[in-house]
């Protein structure tokens, strides 16, 4: 998707952690950029979404253009009044807590909302079916608490939170950024634009590309399989017969053919035989979004940041042209969906930086 003279934009580095339901703790460093010349700032953001295991809370979420509503059922918990409820909404985070039996119970906590909200315009209402209270009984920040209402026709108490989006054009599939919401939400953002997975490991490229294709409903394509079918021999035997350059050249021709495809996730060859490793072979990779899956021996975010900066400043690797860089501290195939989710999250931020990006590609190839 990059152009000859793209506007430089860098999204902050973050540690990506899936909700607890995934049971995954694979360290993944994520960089989203538009051909950034250098890394600028970074911030640590952990993504977690949890409901109290002792008191499961069900919720309903609806997106009505600029306003969204989150409705939690509180029946059976036994609250004594609105003083027992604590709601804190800030940019991409939301914390909902309840004082119960002398202790504070967390009903929902996430610092990875699907996108940013207007924190100062958050409104929450306690809907009680038993008794009426007035705003004077609330001991909470005015910016967070705007109204209290009574509805005697409800069977259970409810907590209703009204949120305003920073970007009213973006449709939220759910309140929290998750694999499911990212897959659903990316449909409106990518608009059919293909995704190319690059990096030094063909296996990793293929595993992650397959997960992305399934989640997005895209066609999974592997240049390794296509080339082997065409040549009627394995890549390894082809390398022995003709060398790395011949394979890279052949994959470059194949990528030219694939550049006219839409709604595809293409896993490219890794290693010295891969065309994406070579800066002069990127012409047709610009037809879609590119994700660089980069393994690293860095043990912390600072080291990963310095490593990425060195790669970008050096510019000798073609991979540095990628729209998104995902740093992997080790690899296990069972974490393919974790990496795919990190990639989608970064791609979402790239597209939101310039909503015209997918259109530039689709207008050329549809």
């Amino acid at each position: 998707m990059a152009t000859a003279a793209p506007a430089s934009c860098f999204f902050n580095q973050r540690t990506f952690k899936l909700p607890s339901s995934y049971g995954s703790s694979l360290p993944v460093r994520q960089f989203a950029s538009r051909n950034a010349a250098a890394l600028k700032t970074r911030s640590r953001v952990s993504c977690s979404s949890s409901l109290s295991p002792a008191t499961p809370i069900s919720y309903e979420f609806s997106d009505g253009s600029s306003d969204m509503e989150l409705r939690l059922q509180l029946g059976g918990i036994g609250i004594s009044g609105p003083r027992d409820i604590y709601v804190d909404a800030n940019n991409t985070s939301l914390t909902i807590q309840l004082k119960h039996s002398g202790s504070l119970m967390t009903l929902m906590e996430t610092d990875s909302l699907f996108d940013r909200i207007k924190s100062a315009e958050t409104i929450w209402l306690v809907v009680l079916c038993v008794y009426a209270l007035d705003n004077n009984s609330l001991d909470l920040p005015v910016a967070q608490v705007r109204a209290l209402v009574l509805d005697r026709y409800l069977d259970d108490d409810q907590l209703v939170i009204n949120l305003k989006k920073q970007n009213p054009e973006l449709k939220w599939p759910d309140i929290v950024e998750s694999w499911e919401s990212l897959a659903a939400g990316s449909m409106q953002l990518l608009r059919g634009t293909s995704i190319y997975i690059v990096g030094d490991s063909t296996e990793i490229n293929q595993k992650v590309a397959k997960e992305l294709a399934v989640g997005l409903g895209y066609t999974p394509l592997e240049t390794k399989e296509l080339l082997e079918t065409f040549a009627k021999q394995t890549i390894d035997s082809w390398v022995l017969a003709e060398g790395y350059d011949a394979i890279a050249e052949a994959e470059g021709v194949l990528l030219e053919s694939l550049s006219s495809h839409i709604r595809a996730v293409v896993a490219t060859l890794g290693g010295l035989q891969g065309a994406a490793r070579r800066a002069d072979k990127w012409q047709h990779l610009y037809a879609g979004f590119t994700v660089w899956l980069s393994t690293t021996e860095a043990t912390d975010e600072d080291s990963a940041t310095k490593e990425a900066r060195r790669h970008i400043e050096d510019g000798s690797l073609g991979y540095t042209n990628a729209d998104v860089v995902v740093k992997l501290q080790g690899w296990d195939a069972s974490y393919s969906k974790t990496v795919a989710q990190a990639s989608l999250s970064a791609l979402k931020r790239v597209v939101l930086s310039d909503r015209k990006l997918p259109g530039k590609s689709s207008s050329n190839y549809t």
Side-chain angles (χ1 to χ4, degrees):
M1 290 297 299
T3 59
S8 179
C9 177
F10 177 76
F11 289 86
N12 293 348
Q13 175 188 354
R14 68 183 193 140
T15 294
F16 189 90
K17 179 182 175 185
L18 284 177
S20 56
S21 59
Y22 280 86
S24 170
S25 59
L26 176 71
V28 178
R29 280 29 168 167
Q30 178 192 91
F31 305 84
S33 65
R34 289 300 310 168
N35 282 356
L39 302 180
K40 298 178 182 178
T41 58
R42 73 178 191 280
S43 63
R44 182 186 179 97
V45 180
S46 63
C47 169
S48 61
S49 175
S50 62
L51 301 180
S52 172
T55 308
I57 300 296
S58 61
Y59 73 84
E60 297 176 2
F61 174 76
S62 60
D63 182 351
S65 187
S66 62
D67 291 342
M68 303 176 295
E69 183 180 275
L70 178 66
R71 187 179 292 261
L72 288 81
Q73 303 293 333
L74 302 179
I77 296 181
I79 63 173
S80 59
R83 287 176 179 269
D84 294 340
I85 302 290
Y86 172 78
V87 178
D88 182 26
N90 183 24
N91 198 22
T92 59
S93 68
L94 176 65
T95 300
I96 306 172
Q97 294 178 311
L98 169 69
K99 185 182 293 184
H100 181 69
S101 300
S103 61
L104 205 58
M105 174 191 302
T106 299
L107 303 181
M108 179 177 286
E109 182 176 23
T110 180
D111 50 12
S112 189
L113 295 175
F114 190 75
D115 195 38
R116 294 174 299 154
I117 60 172
K118 297 180 179 179
S119 308
E121 297 184 38
T122 298
I123 304 173
W124 72 267
L125 308 89
V126 180
V127 184
L128 302 171
C129 64
V130 180
Y131 50 84
L133 296 168
D134 57 60
N135 284 329
N136 293 330
S137 65
L138 300 177
D139 185 19
L140 291 165
V142 176
Q144 297 173 10
V145 182
R146 301 296 179 85
L148 178 68
V149 300
L150 172 70
D151 190 336
R152 294 185 179 277
Y153 298 99
L154 292 174
D155 294 328
D156 291 312
D157 298 339
Q158 294 184 350
L159 176 60
V160 181
I161 302 174
N162 181 270
L163 305 163
K164 284 190 176 294
K165 294 183 282 188
Q166 291 275 10
N167 183 356
E169 296 182 1
L170 179 64
K171 183 74 173 178
W172 287 33
D174 198 0
I175 185 70
V176 177
E177 183 183 275
S178 64
W179 170 248
E180 290 78 12
S181 65
L182 279 170
S186 294
M187 303 292 188
Q188 61 180 308
L189 296 173
L190 298 177
R191 288 183 283 170
T193 302
S194 292
I195 300 172
Y196 296 86
I197 307 301
V198 304
D200 269 334
S201 172
T202 302
E203 177 197 356
I204 295 176
N205 296 347
Q206 291 175 337
K207 295 287 187 183
V208 175
K210 186 173 296 184
E211 291 289 352
L212 284 171
V214 171
L216 294 171
Y218 275 26
T219 301
L221 296 173
E222 298 176 359
T223 59
K224 179 177 184 291
E225 179 184 3
L226 294 171
L227 288 170
E228 289 180 340
T229 300
F230 169 78
K232 295 181 173 57
Q233 61 179 322
T234 65
I235 295 296
D236 290 341
S237 62
W238 196 349
V239 168
L240 289 174
E242 301 185 38
Y244 294 125
D245 291 346
I247 312 302
E249 190 67 32
E251 188 181 29
V253 174
L254 176 59
L255 290 172
E256 179 180 4
S257 175
L258 296 178
S259 66
S260 62
H261 286 56
I262 60 173
R263 299 180 180 86
V265 182
V266 181
T268 65
L269 286 175
L272 296 175
Q273 67 265 31
R277 185 182 177 89
R278 307 172 183 223
D280 62 344
K281 298 294 183 183
W282 269 72
Q283 178 184 357
H284 303 294
L285 288 170
Y286 292 139
F289 288 110
T290 47
V291 177
W292 176 18
L293 304 180
S294 173
T295 56
T296 178
E297 294 182 0
T299 57
D300 54 55
E301 292 183 36
D302 285 340
S303 299
T305 302
K306 291 176 182 178
E307 181 182 74
R309 181 183 293 115
R310 286 196 301 271
H311 285 316
I312 292 173
E313 292 177 349
D314 178 63
S316 59
L317 282 176
Y319 303 139
T320 58
N321 292 314
D323 299 303
V324 167
V325 182
V326 177
K327 286 288 185 181
L328 306 176
Q329 200 173 54
W331 171 250
D332 187 317
S334 62
Y335 293 126
S336 298
K337 185 176 286 187
T338 306
V339 180
Q341 181 174 334
S343 302
L344 268 188
S345 179
L347 280 172
K348 182 187 74 173
R349 284 154 178 75
V350 168
V351 177
L352 288 176
S353 72
D354 184 353
R355 294 295 293 273
K356 296 180 181 179
L357 287 175
K360 294 175 183 176
S361 175
S362 59
S363 62
N364 292 330
Y365 298 105
T366 54

